[in-house]
Coordinates of all heavy atoms in Angstrom, one line a residue:
A10 N 48.1 89.4 82.8 CA 49.3 90.2 83.0 C 49.7 90.9 81.7 O 50.0 90.2 80.7 CB 50.5 89.3 83.5
P11 N 49.7 92.2 81.7 CA 49.8 92.9 80.4 C 51.3 93.0 79.8 O 51.4 93.0 78.6 CB 49.3 94.3 80.7 CG 49.5 94.5 82.2 CD 49.4 93.1 82.8
N12 N 52.3 93.0 80.7 CA 53.6 93.1 80.2 C 54.1 91.9 79.5 O 54.6 91.9 78.3 CB 54.6 93.6 81.3 CG 54.2 95.1 81.7 OD1 54.3 96.0 80.9 ND2 53.8 95.2 82.9
P13 N 54.0 90.7 80.1 CA 54.4 89.5 79.4 C 53.6 89.3 78.1 O 54.1 88.9 77.1 CB 54.0 88.4 80.4 CG 54.1 89.0 81.7 CD 53.6 90.4 81.5
R15 N 52.6 91.6 76.1 CA 53.2 92.5 75.1 C 54.3 91.7 74.3 O 54.4 91.8 73.1 CB 53.9 93.8 75.7 CG 52.8 94.7 76.2 CD 53.4 96.1 76.3 NE 54.2 96.3 77.6 CZ 54.9 97.4 77.8 NH1 55.0 98.3 76.9 NH2 55.5 97.6 79.0
I34 N 52.1 84.8 88.9 CA 52.3 86.0 89.8 C 51.4 85.9 91.0 O 51.8 86.2 92.1 CB 51.9 87.3 88.9 CG1 53.0 87.5 87.8 CG2 51.9 88.5 89.8 CD1 52.8 88.7 86.9
H39 N 57.3 84.7 91.0 CA 58.3 85.7 90.6 C 59.0 86.3 91.7 O 60.0 87.1 91.5 CB 57.6 86.8 89.8 CG 56.5 87.6 90.5 ND1 55.5 87.0 91.2 CD2 56.4 88.9 90.7 CE1 54.8 87.9 91.8 NE2 55.3 89.1 91.5
K40 N 58.6 86.0 93.0 CA 59.3 86.5 94.2 C 60.0 85.4 94.9 O 60.5 85.6 96.0 CB 58.3 87.3 95.1 CG 57.6 88.5 94.5 CD 58.5 89.6 94.1 CE 57.7 90.8 93.6 NZ 58.5 91.7 92.8
G51 N 62.6 90.9 90.1 CA 61.4 90.0 90.4 C 60.2 90.4 89.7 O 59.1 90.4 90.2
Q52 N 60.3 90.8 88.4 CA 59.2 91.1 87.6 C 59.2 90.3 86.3 O 60.2 89.8 85.9 CB 59.2 92.6 87.3 CG 58.8 93.5 88.5 CD 58.5 94.9 88.1 OE1 59.2 95.5 87.2 NE2 57.5 95.5 88.7
L53 N 58.0 90.3 85.7 CA 57.9 89.6 84.4 C 57.4 90.5 83.3 O 56.6 91.4 83.7 CB 56.9 88.4 84.6 CG 57.4 87.4 85.6 CD1 56.3 86.4 86.0 CD2 58.6 86.6 85.1
P54 N 57.9 90.4 82.1 CA 58.7 89.3 81.6 C 60.2 89.6 81.8 O 60.6 90.7 82.1 CB 58.4 89.4 80.1 CG 58.2 90.8 79.8 CD 57.5 91.3 81.1
E66 N 62.5 94.3 81.2 CA 61.7 95.4 80.6 C 61.3 95.0 79.2 O 62.1 94.7 78.3 CB 62.6 96.7 80.5 CG 63.1 97.3 81.8 CD 61.9 97.7 82.8 OE1 60.9 98.1 82.3 OE2 62.1 97.5 84.0
T67 N 60.0 95.0 79.1 CA 59.3 94.6 77.8 C 59.9 95.1 76.6 O 60.2 94.4 75.6 CB 57.8 95.0 77.9 OG1 57.3 94.4 79.1 CG2 57.1 94.5 76.7
I68 N 60.1 96.5 76.5 CA 60.6 97.1 75.3 C 62.0 96.7 75.0 O 62.4 96.4 73.8 CB 60.5 98.6 75.4 CG1 59.0 99.0 75.7 CG2 61.0 99.3 74.1 CD1 58.0 98.7 74.6
E102 N 53.0 104.1 78.1 CA 53.5 103.6 79.3 C 53.4 104.7 80.4 O 53.0 104.4 81.6 CB 55.0 103.2 79.2 CG 55.2 102.0 78.3 CD 56.6 101.5 78.4 OE1 57.5 102.3 78.5 OE2 56.8 100.2 78.2
R110 N 48.0 101.2 86.2 CA 48.8 100.5 87.3 C 48.3 101.0 88.6 O 48.1 100.2 89.6 CB 50.3 100.8 87.0 CG 51.2 100.0 87.9 CD 52.6 100.2 87.5 NE 53.5 99.3 88.3 CZ 54.0 99.7 89.5 NH1 53.7 100.9 90.0 NH2 54.7 98.9 90.2
Ligands
GSH1 N1 58.5 98.0 83.2 C1 58.3 96.6 83.2 C2 57.1 96.2 84.1 C3 57.0 94.8 84.4 C4 55.9 94.5 85.3 O1 55.4 95.3 86.1 N2 55.4 93.2 85.2 C5 54.3 92.8 86.1 C6 53.4 91.8 85.4 S1 52.5 92.5 84.1 C7 54.9 92.2 87.3 O2 55.9 91.5 87.3 N3 54.2 92.4 88.5 C8 54.6 91.9 89.7 C9 55.5 92.8 90.6 O3 55.8 93.9 90.1 O4 55.8 92.3 91.7 C10 58.2 96.0 81.8 O5 57.9 96.8 80.9 O6 58.4 94.8 81.6

Side-chain angles (χ1 to χ4, degrees):
N12 292 296
R15 289 201 276 173
I34 291 179
H39 61 309
K40 300 295 185 202
Q52 286 194 319
L53 299 166
E66 301 298 329
T67 303
I68 301 297
E102 291 188 328
R110 186 170 186 276

